[in-house]
Amino acid sequence: MAVSPPQAFPPRKRRPISAASFISPKLSDRNLIQSLLLFTQEISSHTPFQFLLKRHSVSLIRKSKLLAILFEELLLCNPIPALSPSAILCLEEMHVLLQRVKALIEDCSNGSKMWLLMQTESVANGFHELTRELSTLLDIFPLQEIDLNDDVAELIVLIRNQLNSQTKVNGVVDPRDDELRLEVLALLDRIKREIVPDHSELAEIFARLGLRDASSCREEIENLEDEVQNQGNEKSKSEVIIALIGLVRYAKCVLFGASTPNTDIRSRETPSEAIVPADFRCPISLELMRDPVVVATGQTYDRESIKMWIESGHATCPKTGQNLVHTDLIPNLSLKNLIAMWCREQKIPFEITANSVKVNGVTTNKAALEATRMTATFLINKLSVSQSMEAGNGVVYELRVLAKTDSDSRACIAEAGAIPMLVRYLGSDVGSEHPNLQVNAVTTILNLSILEANKTRIMETDGALNGIIEVLRSGATWEAKGNAAATIFSLAGVQIHRRILGKKTRVIKGLLELAELGPRSSKRDALAAILNLAADREAVGRLLEGGVVRMTVELMDQLSEEAVTILESVVKRGGFVAIAASYIAIKKLTVVLREGSERAQESAAATLVTITRKGGAELVAELASTPGIERGIWDLMQSGTPRARRKAATLLRILRRWAAGLDGNVMDDTIISTTHMISSSTTATATALRVPA
């Protein structure tokens, strides 16, 4: 049996639950010894810990180097000495033990230093337990049965003696590690009591942990965020980790200053260019769900999208068309955890909700909240005295990242007075000279607008809306324009704001231009904002004047779902004449009806039903003459969503009535109520509609 090379044992990302997590191998004697040698070589290749648990790591790494000599010596024998059953059993147990040693060292090396500090006692006990087990295995190993080189035999005896002495040591935790842990806990307690940490003390603590620059702090935050997910339902531990995240964020800004990364943040900040699994997309917005919730019909939507749907007056499930017996939104925590795991793998930040658990409206994690508030205040104060655009860009970038994290951060930043300061960086003069600063400023406002209360703050801040519109129309980069469009989408989630935005010609023109000319990600941002505005009848009139029908027709080949959904909304609110007059629009809708995605087919069918009801016999005749239209309708009736099947059945009945010489524009859903439960059988479907099979 071939033995895997060292790289075949990948680094673990989570600590083993128990020794039972590893399995004793069933290998030949030679392969077993080769595998043991590989493990000892891997363990001994690790650098001993420099800051925490140093003594424990040094001890086991050194012992592994010495054990490697034993296994090398055994492999040099040809043939390998005959091993007794007790020796084989001992080596197999040592194989399991070395796996555990390797896993523990890698977890400690690759994970969060702060969290390791909090767990120093249990981890130290883990090292001590492994040392004790290794000592026991070497004590019972039948060394006398094997004809070893005298030097090697003496070496094993030496290892035994060292291990025996180590297992008798009282107090496995290094006093310096325990002292540092208590200092950090005391620091968190002072922050909880709203006492600003002493900078020199903060610097000393972070230096002792090896967090000496902004880069190491960013990595530490990522590791802590991963640890939150690893804790699962252990809320008490998650609360501590969230507080530590707040502390590290604060220290990063205070100790190491604001800075911008060399890599493009957008690629890690949005999944628009990533291939998002279909189950992770909201059926309404088609975007990655950040807060998936289940409605009364059992369907899952993103909270913000379904909330907007319900607040717009709808009482049905968007996907099934069924009436909602109640409007309660139940969090889909299992799906949210899966999305969070996917986001971590794709390097897409995902909001951690452990710090937003509230009791009577008050955040339970006071330390995390106060650390966030201190960070926001520090950054805003620094921005207010910033003398250069470069320095200002670093601060704005830090605000951008902070505003991306959670609702508490967005509230703290806005309350600290960030919005008026960000407005001054939205102008075209800033964009031409410092495009990254303009991008960071508008994106920070976008992130802030996610919080409902901040939408009103932004709309009421002098110059904020005009600044966002200016970026939309003449931003220095497509990213800036796209994020300005996304900000308008966010603000339009409030009905009164939607009406204000829909009355502004510059908003309409800017969105339509971006949808036509921008790259794919920016087009989607613009289309999402247009769809939001299309919920207002007055805004639809301005969209029609701006050429929304022509624009959506042009985009129907690239972004059919978004384009057809906009047409459906426009035709419902006064855009019937403009769409009915566009032959190419009707033609492309029929193509989508036959070949589009499930969501696009549903919207295309609904749009065509509205048009044919109001367009008269001439329009019905035009639709009926489209090659393959009836076959496409039949297919949709058999395989579409429940709503798509109902709309397809209505459309087919209108065409059949026209073919029979009846009025082609009279139809009501109640006439075809028997088709709600239509089956995939063509005969059954035809019977329900009273048309020949």
Side-chain angles (χ1 to χ4, degrees):
M1 178 177 177
V3 179
S4 302
Q7 58 266 29
F9 303 114
R12 298 184 66 263
K13 292 186 177 181
R14 305 183 83 177
R15 295 183 183 87
I17 297 173
S18 66
S21 302
F22 303 104
I23 301 172
S24 178
K26 298 300 178 184
L27 303 174
S28 67
D29 291 0
R30 174 171 287 277
N31 286 338
L32 175 60
I33 296 171
Q34 285 179 331
S35 186
L36 285 166
L37 176 60
L38 290 176
F39 272 125
T40 54
Q41 289 174 338
E42 281 197 314
I43 294 168
S44 58
S45 68
H46 281 279
T47 302
F49 304 159
Q50 299 299 308
F51 305 102
L52 299 173
L53 300 161
K54 183 175 181 179
R55 174 169 57 84
H56 298 84
S57 66
V58 167
S59 174
L60 279 178
I61 289 173
R62 285 179 178 172
K63 300 301 184 297
S64 295
K65 287 181 179 179
L66 297 176
L67 284 173
I69 297 174
L70 167 65
F71 301 131
E72 286 175 346
E73 177 71 14
L74 289 173
L75 288 174
L76 288 175
C77 299
N78 193 11
I80 287 179
L83 300 175
S84 66
S86 60
I88 293 294
L89 179 60
C90 188
L91 291 176
E92 287 179 344
E93 290 300 316
M94 192 175 297
H95 192 279
V96 173
L97 179 64
L98 290 175
Q99 288 183 68
R100 292 165 59 198
V101 170
K102 176 177 178 287
L104 183 56
I105 290 176
E106 287 180 345
D107 282 339
C108 294
S109 299
N110 301 329
S112 159
K113 293 181 174 65
M114 280 285 185
W115 184 237
L116 180 61
L117 178 64
M118 294 298 106
Q119 302 293 305
T120 185
E121 183 175 357
S122 62
V123 177
N125 283 329
F127 273 106
H128 188 72
E129 179 66 18
L130 291 172
T131 300
R132 187 184 62 78
E133 290 183 29
L134 181 59
S135 175
T136 301
L137 286 175
L138 287 179
D139 280 342
I140 65 175
F141 185 70
L143 192 60
Q144 67 282 357
E145 296 179 6
I146 305 172
D147 185 19
L148 289 174
N149 179 292
D150 290 343
D151 291 339
V152 175
E154 289 177 5
L155 181 63
I156 300 305
V157 173
L158 175 64
I159 298 174
R160 281 177 175 173
N161 295 334
Q162 289 178 347
L163 289 170
N164 286 332
S165 62
Q166 288 175 3
T167 57
K168 296 174 182 177
V169 175
N170 293 324
V172 295
V173 179
D174 189 321
R176 291 170 297 181
D177 293 349
D178 198 43
E179 178 185 348
L180 182 57
R181 181 181 64 84
L182 294 175
E183 287 180 23
V184 171
L185 290 174
L187 190 62
L188 290 176
D189 183 65
R190 289 198 295 275
I191 290 175
K192 188 185 300 184
R193 291 185 281 121
E194 304 180 27
I195 300 173
V196 177
D198 178 77
H199 288 190
S200 60
E201 179 187 5
L202 199 61
E204 182 186 353
I205 288 175
F206 273 64
R208 288 163 65 187
L209 283 168
L211 303 173
R212 302 176 183 275
D213 52 36
S215 177
S216 61
C217 285
R218 275 195 293 268
E219 183 179 353
E220 176 67 12
I221 291 171
E222 291 177 3
N223 288 333
L224 285 168
E225 289 172 343
D226 285 345
E227 200 61 55
V228 171
Q229 301 298 330
N230 291 343
Q231 295 307 316
N233 295 324
E234 295 188 57
K235 291 185 178 180
S236 59
K237 290 184 178 180
S238 296
E239 287 291 315
V240 175
I241 299 172
I242 293 297
L244 292 172
I245 291 174
L247 172 62
V248 177
R249 282 203 184 105
Y250 174 73
K252 179 173 76 72
C253 294
V254 171
L255 299 179
F256 310 117
S259 61
T260 56
N262 295 325
T263 54
D264 177 18
I265 188 175
R266 186 176 176 86
S267 65
R268 302 184 327 245
E269 193 170 72
T270 172
S272 60
E273 297 301 323
I275 302 176
V276 180
D279 291 341
F280 293 174
R281 288 186 181 274
C282 174
I284 298 175
S285 68
L286 304 179
E287 298 292 337
L288 180 73
M289 288 187 279
R290 300 281 178 176
D291 189 8
V293 293
V294 180
V295 298
T297 59
Q299 299 296 324
T300 297
Y301 302 92
D302 195 47
R303 183 183 295 275
E304 186 175 352
S305 297
I306 190 62
K307 185 178 178 183
M308 188 182 303
W309 169 268
I310 294 171
E311 289 176 351
S312 298
H314 298 92
T316 58
C317 173
K319 195 168 183 179
T320 66
Q322 296 174 273
N323 289 328
L324 296 173
V325 295
H326 62 76
T327 57
D328 295 340
L329 305 177
I330 293 99
N332 190 334
L333 298 179
S334 298
L335 179 59
K336 186 166 186 174
N337 287 336
L338 290 175
I339 294 173
M341 291 171 62
W342 180 83
C343 284
R344 290 205 309 278
E345 293 171 358
Q346 300 295 322
K347 300 299 182 185
I348 299 170
F350 189 81
E351 179 168 330
I352 300 170
T353 56
N355 63 332
S356 58
V357 178
K358 303 192 175 197
V359 179
N360 299 325
V362 179
T363 303
T364 58
N365 197 327
K366 188 69 162 55
L369 177 61
E370 291 306 324
T372 299
R373 182 172 286 120
M374 290 176 186
T375 305
T377 301
F378 174 82
L379 290 171
I380 300 304
N381 289 340
K382 194 168 184 179
L383 190 62
S384 66
V385 299
S386 177
Q387 299 298 316
S388 68
M389 289 294 184
E390 289 77 10
N393 186 35
V395 177
V396 174
Y397 169 76
E398 294 292 350
L399 288 170
R400 171 182 178 173
V401 173
L402 185 61
K404 188 73 178 178
T405 55
D406 52 50
S407 297
D408 285 337
S409 297
R410 297 178 193 116
C412 290
I413 293 171
E415 289 167 1
I419 297 173
M421 292 189 180
L422 294 168
V423 169
R424 65 190 186 189
Y425 300 118
L426 298 178
S428 55
D429 55 334
V430 174
S432 61
E433 296 292 331
H434 304 277
N436 287 339
L437 176 54
Q438 186 186 60
V439 169
N440 285 330
V442 73
T443 309
T444 304
I445 294 177
L446 166 61
N447 294 341
L448 292 176
S449 73
I450 297 172
L451 184 66
E452 202 73 13
N454 285 346
K455 298 184 196 297
T456 301
R457 284 192 177 105
I458 294 169
M459 293 293 290
E460 293 178 350
T461 298
D462 187 32
L465 184 55
N466 286 334
I468 294 167
I469 296 172
E470 184 174 354
V471 176
L472 174 67
R473 299 298 307 278
S474 58
T477 64
W478 289 118
E479 182 183 359
K481 292 181 177 182
N483 286 349
T487 306
I488 290 172
F489 164 80
S490 179
L491 295 174
V494 179
Q495 187 173 5
I496 188 172
H497 300 163
R498 186 186 308 138
R499 290 177 179 173
I500 294 172
L501 292 165
K503 291 178 180 179
K504 293 186 176 295
T505 304
R506 289 193 303 151
V507 171
I508 301 298
K509 287 185 176 180
L511 292 174
L512 292 173
E513 288 173 1
L514 183 60
E516 288 185 279
L517 304 175
R520 185 179 181 87
S521 60
S522 297
K523 287 180 188 291
R524 294 188 67 185
D525 290 329
L527 291 174
I530 290 170
L531 180 60
N532 230 347
L533 294 180
D536 181 73
R537 184 173 291 272
E538 189 175 344
V540 166
R542 288 184 171 80
L543 286 169
L544 291 169
E545 292 173 5
V548 69
V549 175
R550 176 184 55 79
M551 180 272 296
T552 50
V553 168
E554 291 177 357
L555 291 179
M556 215 173 288
D557 295 331
Q558 303 175 45
L559 299 165
S560 61
E561 293 186 357
E562 293 88 341
V564 177
T565 305
I566 289 174
L567 282 182
E568 179 187 359
S569 184
V570 167
V571 79
K572 285 180 181 178
R573 296 174 178 84
F576 155 74
V577 175
I579 297 175
S582 173
Y583 171 75
I584 187 65
I586 304 298
K587 184 178 179 180
K588 286 203 171 185
L589 281 170
T590 58
V591 172
V592 173
L593 187 71
R594 297 193 307 270
E595 303 173 3
S597 66
E598 189 177 79
R599 165 85 181 198
Q601 287 179 322
E602 182 180 312
S603 292
T607 304
L608 288 171
V609 165
T610 304
I611 292 173
T612 51
R613 279 176 171 173
K614 298 180 179 180
E618 183 178 344
L619 189 58
V620 177
E622 181 180 310
L623 183 63
S625 66
T626 304
I629 182 64
E630 190 164 323
R631 181 71 263 169
I633 294 174
W634 279 115
D635 290 343
L636 189 58
M637 289 168 62
Q638 295 176 40
S639 60
T641 65
R643 180 172 180 257
R645 294 202 298 268
R646 290 197 300 272
K647 294 298 181 181
T650 303
L651 193 58
L652 182 61
R653 185 172 179 87
I654 292 173
L655 294 177
R656 289 299 175 88
R657 287 175 63 85
W658 170 83
L662 301 175
D663 187 1
N665 65 346
V666 180
M667 188 62 193
D668 190 275
D669 283 344
T670 56
I671 299 176
I672 58 159
S673 59
T674 56
T675 67
H676 283 202
M677 299 302 291
I678 198 164
S679 70
S680 60
S681 167
T682 302
T683 303
T685 304
T687 302
L689 294 171
R690 298 196 182 121
V691 294

